[in-house]
Amino acid sequence: MAGYDVVIIGGGPGGYNAAIRAGQLGLKAACVEMRASLGGTCLNVGCIPSKSLLHASELFELAKDDFVKFGIDVTPQLNLPVMMKQKAESVGQLTKGVEFLFKKNKVEWIKGRGRLAGPGKVEVVAEDGTSSVLETRHVVIATGSEPSPLPGVTVDQQRIVDSTGALDLPETPGHLVVIGAGVIGLELGSVWRRLGAKVTVVEFLDRITPTVDAETAKTFQRSLTKQGITFRLDARVTGATIKNDGVDVTFEPVKGGEPETISADYVLLAIGRRPFTDGLGLDSVGLTTDRRGFIETNRARTAAEGVWAIGDVTYGPMLAHKAEDEAVACIETIAGRAGHVNYEVIPNVIYTFPEVATVGRTEEELKADGVAYKVGKFPFTANSRAKVNHEAEGFVKILADAQTDRILGVHMIGPDVSEMIGEYCVAMEFGGSSEDVARTSHPHPSRSEALRQAAMGVEGWTMQA
Ligand code: NAD
């Protein structure tokens, strides 16, 4: 069999972007993917279907509770099968889109499970059990991650589900217990609360979303609580037992005390994800994983010649766009170009209502590193567009270097901030200062004015009040 320049194992955002970039650069490339469709966790059972349900459930809630504020009286009825069907259709169109891009860029999709089989070799086992060996100059491992398990809580995808099961519940739960107040728990918890479930989130730490700037996370928790989500913080889940048509969840205070049991109709386990390297044949090229299962890399290079790793299997935030950036940089390096990823400017978004969008350093990180910084902050209550839309919750906060004014971090909570953080990503990528943004014209009236006003606030000349 003719050899490849690069074989990519995994067809998620890391793998498919690597494959397409390889095709664009004229490399002979193949992508090995065992799912029935390309796109990995993100397109099939992650970012995309969850955003579909977040949007649909937000519309439902707006119609139910908020249209009346605008003088529109309606009584919406939930049609869950149709909501699920439109989600599946969007997912289908997007995964087909990746397939189309493979064809357009002359990338081969080899269906089956790939594993390293010695230097320069990838074995692929197809669904029918037949196996073949591909010869290649480079291998890119992009096998992603899987939900972390919790002892005592066995996911059956019926009553106790992970993120995949929570996207396909057959009914709105009476009571949904979410284990873990991270991104997945809060996004999918929000979906089912909006559709009518009582939602209780049990979290090990004394705060929600541990990686988010503390002030932002506090405002976020207050908002979700107001919406009806109950938080049980400082609580260690010790077990979940399926009983007839429900689940008993037992947890105990982290700081000691009596255990408590609550009854749920469904339980969502969302305590993080771990790298997926099962059966990957790493030992055949002399590679191992670290204690937590990650493959060690330096600019995507592993310790084995010609073997690269990108995305969730290696270090850094487990985010699709981080995997995409690494994919492009890795392939460009393989092709002899200068691949580069700026890890200081990788945004993070939680697609709830309000949304949370952050990029760069948090105040806590800057304090810990002894960096002198200035803060500019602007609330959406003072933003005319947000106000007339009855969406005035939240704020924009800019952290800038006290000496140079360079933007170090941006933290936003509010309506549609996922669509606004990109402006600051560009500013930071260009090494911009808060004054650069403060002196840039923004359309009036628009929510994006809050970005400028927050930047003006760094030097104390915010104008809208
Ligand atoms: P996470 O790391 O965001 O949050 C997990 C939470 O569970 C943390 O708050 C943690 O303290 C808590 N926890 C851990 N063990 C616990 C226990 N035994 N009992 C109670 N709480 C416990 O993880 P996630 O929400 O599962 O998401 C996994 C990954 O997927 C993340 O890395 C995230 O970046 C990614 N993701 C991103 C998006 C997005 O960008 N919008 C959406 C979904 C998932």
Side-chain angles (χ1 to χ4, degrees):
M1 181 187 292
Y4 291 93
D5 292 315
V6 55
V7 169
I8 297 135
I9 308 179
Y16 77 72
N17 279 280
I20 291 167
R21 189 72 186 118
Q24 286 172 344
L25 294 178
L27 300 176
K28 186 167 160 49
C31 179
V32 184
E33 170 56 60
M34 60 188 176
R35 265 181 214 275
S37 50
L38 292 168
T41 300
C42 177
L43 259 69
N44 289 285
V45 287
C47 336
I48 298 302
S50 63
K51 261 74 278 168
S52 170
L53 290 186
L54 278 157
H55 181 63
S57 61
E58 188 177 333
L59 291 178
F60 177 66
E61 186 162 71
L62 282 173
K64 188 161 63 69
D65 299 337
D66 293 328
F67 277 14
V68 65
K69 292 181 200 159
F70 299 91
I72 306 166
D73 293 332
V74 290
T75 310
Q77 288 292 317
L78 175 63
N79 187 334
L80 193 58
V82 172
M83 197 178 276
M84 292 296 178
K85 186 162 165 273
Q86 62 81 37
K87 173 198 69 169
E89 283 165 2
S90 298
V91 168
Q93 284 160 12
L94 288 164
T95 59
K96 284 272 173 255
V98 177
E99 221 175 307
F100 166 78
L101 287 172
F102 271 27
K103 287 196 186 110
K104 186 176 160 203
N105 290 288
K106 302 191 173 46
V107 175
E108 243 180 282
W109 169 14
I110 300 179
K111 295 181 188 173
R113 190 177 182 123
R115 61 179 285 276
L116 294 155
K121 288 187 172 49
V122 172
E123 185 191 11
V124 182
V125 180
E127 212 176 16
D128 63 7
T130 55
S131 102
S132 56
V133 175
L134 314 174
E135 309 263 341
T136 179
R137 286 199 301 128
H138 298 273
V139 179
V140 178
I141 301 170
T143 45
S145 59
E146 60 180 350
S148 298
L150 179 64
V153 181
T154 307
V155 170
D156 68 347
Q157 300 295 24
Q158 301 293 320
R159 288 283 157 186
I160 303 179
V161 297
D162 60 18
S163 50
T164 302
L167 289 166
D168 266 319
L169 296 183
E171 58 181 353
T172 300
H175 184 199
L176 173 68
V177 169
V178 176
I179 307 175
V183 191
I184 292 178
L186 300 182
E187 287 188 351
L188 293 174
S190 289
V191 165
W192 291 107
R193 186 204 56 74
R194 292 167 188 170
L195 299 182
K198 169 176 165 6
V199 175
T200 304
V201 180
V202 186
E203 164 64 45
F204 184 79
L205 299 176
D206 61 359
R207 54 163 292 181
I208 69 168
T209 53
T211 55
V212 171
D213 167 85
E215 183 187 15
T216 310
K218 221 177 193 162
T219 303
F220 187 34
Q221 187 183 336
R222 207 177 306 127
S223 176
L224 294 175
T225 304
K226 216 165 67 194
Q227 291 168 30
I229 293 183
T230 302
F231 289 98
R232 303 299 303 264
L233 303 180
D234 276 321
R236 179 187 299 126
V237 173
T238 50
T241 316
I242 298 177
K243 287 209 171 136
N244 303 324
D245 285 344
V247 191
D248 281 353
V249 183
T250 305
F251 55 91
E252 58 190 26
V254 171
K255 291 171 186 140
E258 286 305 303
E260 195 180 324
T261 298
I262 52 177
S263 299
D265 298 289
Y266 293 89
V267 171
L268 163 59
L269 179 65
I271 58 162
R273 297 179 63 85
R274 63 180 184 188
F276 183 68
T277 54
D278 275 1
L280 200 52
L282 291 175
D283 52 343
S284 75
V285 292
L287 283 179
T288 51
T289 60
D290 75 4
R291 199 173 42 84
R292 292 178 302 154
F294 289 101
I295 299 173
E296 241 174 274
T297 54
N298 179 3
R299 293 177 165 229
R301 279 178 207 277
T302 69
E305 181 67 29
V307 181
W308 310 69
I310 57 170
D312 288 6
V313 284
T314 184
Y315 302 126
M318 288 185 165
L319 296 170
H321 45 281
K322 175 260 193 186
E324 289 172 24
D325 289 355
E326 288 182 338
V328 169
C330 170
I331 294 297
E332 290 182 347
T333 308
I334 288 173
R337 298 184 174 208
H340 170 72
V341 178
N342 182 357
Y343 289 96
E344 298 294 312
V345 187
I346 295 182
N348 217 318
V349 171
I350 308 175
Y351 294 82
T352 41
F353 189 91
E355 290 183 338
V356 176
T358 65
V359 62
R361 322 285 310 277
T362 63
E363 283 205 68
E364 295 71 50
E365 286 168 345
L366 293 176
K367 278 182 194 145
D369 290 352
V371 178
Y373 64 95
K374 293 177 292 184
V375 183
K377 202 173 148 194
F378 193 77
F380 281 105
T381 42
N383 174 272
S384 52
R385 188 75 195 279
K387 196 98 184 145
V388 296
N389 287 1
H390 296 273
E391 291 177 335
E393 221 177 337
F395 58 79
V396 177
K397 179 164 82 171
I398 315 296
L399 309 174
D401 187 288
Q403 264 84 50
T404 65
D405 193 34
R406 193 180 173 127
I407 303 162
L408 301 174
V410 181
H411 306 278
M412 312 183 192
I413 175 164
D416 280 339
V417 290
S418 62
E419 300 294 346
M420 300 204 288
I421 192 84
E423 169 176 333
Y424 269 104
C425 295
V426 175
M428 288 172 74
E429 189 68 42
F430 288 4
S433 64
S434 78
E435 188 176 359
D436 289 330
V437 178
R439 295 192 185 275
T440 301
S441 190
H442 283 65
H444 175 76
S446 72
R447 284 185 277 237
S448 70
E449 284 177 289
L451 306 180
R452 181 185 188 183
Q453 292 290 335
M456 288 156 78
V458 172
E459 290 297 335
W461 59 290
T462 293
M463 289 189 176
Q464 293 175 357

